[in-house]
């Protein structure tokens, strides 16, 4: 695995997570020539039983169930999530999802489906937030990324790196992702463009 992936300059990444999330992205790009990503955050509504319990094991179970459910949707190629704790000690999760952009050019329908799945899995106790790019950010998650466009891939790597920040992990990273199958041996061989 590469050791020096690009990351947001405003964070101090956890090297293990940074390499892991990039390895996951590399596997997805090996299988799909075009991908579209979106980011979401997940936690529980204040005052609910899940919020009061504040259990990292419970949110992990819920996120694993979400991972299985979302991976059954046509065109979803990957999910990677990490847990963090707020300054008040409440557990929450950051996640990045990948779609096959040969089939889908818009992420919004998947954001709505993912949010509905989260509500079902948490029996109405969960809440989610779609993470939108700010105008001042150089990187835009709404862009389709092609396997040969190193600039676009590096931009997506910087966006994904937010999940790897050392802050709010309480000294140990807790993460999860789908298994990416090996690339299919069909279709035209790829021609890599050197830059």
């Amino acid at each position: 695995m590469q050791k020096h992936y690009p990351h947001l300059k405003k964070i101090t990444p956890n090297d293990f997570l940074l390499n892991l999330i990039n390895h996951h992205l590399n596997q997805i790009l090996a299988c799909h020539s075009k991908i579209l990503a979106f980011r979401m955050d997940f936690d529980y509504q204040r005052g609910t039983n899940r919020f009061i319990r504040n259990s990292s094991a419970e949110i992990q179970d819920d996120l694993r169930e979400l991972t299985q459910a979302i991976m059954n949707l046509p065109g979803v190629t990957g999910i990677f999530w990490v847990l963090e704790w707020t300054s008040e000690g409440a557990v929450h999760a950051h996640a990045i999802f990948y779609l096959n952009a040969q089939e889908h050019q818009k992420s919004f329908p998947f954001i709505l489906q993912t949010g509905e799945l989260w509500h079902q899995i948490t029996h109405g106790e969960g809440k989610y937030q779609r993470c939108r790019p700010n105008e001042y950010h150089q990187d835009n998650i709404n862009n389709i990324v092609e396997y040969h466009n190193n600039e676009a891939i590096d931009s997506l790597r910087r966006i994904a790196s937010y999940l790897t920040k050392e802050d709010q992990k309480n000294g140990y990273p807790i993460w999860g992702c789908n298994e990416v199958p090996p690339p299919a041996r069909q279709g035209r061989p790829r021609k890599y463009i050197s830059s």
Side-chain angles (χ1 to χ4, degrees):
M1 276 195 278
Q2 182 177 337
K3 294 195 183 224
H4 302 289
Y5 287 108
H7 62 83
L8 296 172
K9 297 302 176 206
K10 68 180 185 177
I11 67 161
T12 302
N14 174 292
D15 289 336
F16 171 75
L17 281 178
L18 186 65
N19 278 294
L20 202 60
I21 202 167
N22 279 289
H23 178 69
H24 186 253
L25 177 55
N26 291 344
Q27 289 179 305
I28 291 168
L29 286 167
C31 295
H32 303 280
S33 61
K34 294 180 181 179
I35 60 171
L36 177 63
F38 63 94
R39 278 249 308 105
M40 294 178 75
D41 294 341
F42 300 94
D43 61 348
Y44 301 122
Q45 297 180 47
R46 252 181 220 287
T48 62
N49 289 329
R50 278 178 163 85
F51 182 85
I52 293 165
R53 285 191 295 268
N54 197 35
S55 165
S56 65
E58 186 168 36
I59 197 169
Q60 286 177 72
D61 287 345
D62 290 343
L63 288 164
R64 285 186 194 102
E65 191 173 336
L66 178 66
T67 299
Q68 288 178 333
I70 198 80
M71 291 308 299
N72 286 326
L73 297 177
V76 177
T77 61
I79 174 177
F80 194 102
W81 55 262
V82 297
L83 293 189
E84 290 185 359
W85 285 262
T86 65
S87 56
E88 296 86 33
V91 68
H92 63 282
H94 298 291
I96 190 165
F97 299 81
Y98 303 102
L99 304 174
N100 181 349
Q102 296 282 17
E103 298 173 19
H104 304 283
Q105 287 75 47
K106 302 284 184 201
S107 60
F108 193 70
F110 288 91
I111 292 168
L112 294 177
Q113 283 182 288
T114 303
E116 183 54 39
L117 286 168
W118 183 246
H119 283 291
Q120 289 172 13
I121 290 164
T122 62
H123 305 286
E125 294 186 31
K127 66 178 186 171
Y128 69 93
Q129 178 180 337
R130 171 188 176 202
C131 302
R132 299 177 187 185
N134 293 323
E135 289 180 21
Y136 59 84
H137 286 161
Q138 73 178 50
D139 303 308
N140 186 343
I141 199 163
N142 296 320
N143 295 332
I144 291 176
V145 175
E146 297 185 22
Y147 77 93
H148 59 78
N149 186 336
N150 291 331
E151 187 177 319
I153 293 169
D154 283 349
S155 178
L156 184 53
R157 290 186 196 288
R158 284 189 295 272
I159 292 166
S161 76
Y162 182 78
L163 278 68
T164 73
K165 69 185 191 319
E166 287 278 5
D167 294 351
Q168 300 182 325
K169 302 256 187 322
N170 286 353
Y172 55 96
I174 299 175
W175 57 273
C177 64
N178 67 298
E179 262 188 63
V180 181
R185 295 186 182 265
Q186 57 194 29
R188 285 188 312 232
R190 289 186 176 179
K191 293 179 182 174
Y192 290 92
I193 302 167
S194 57
S195 30

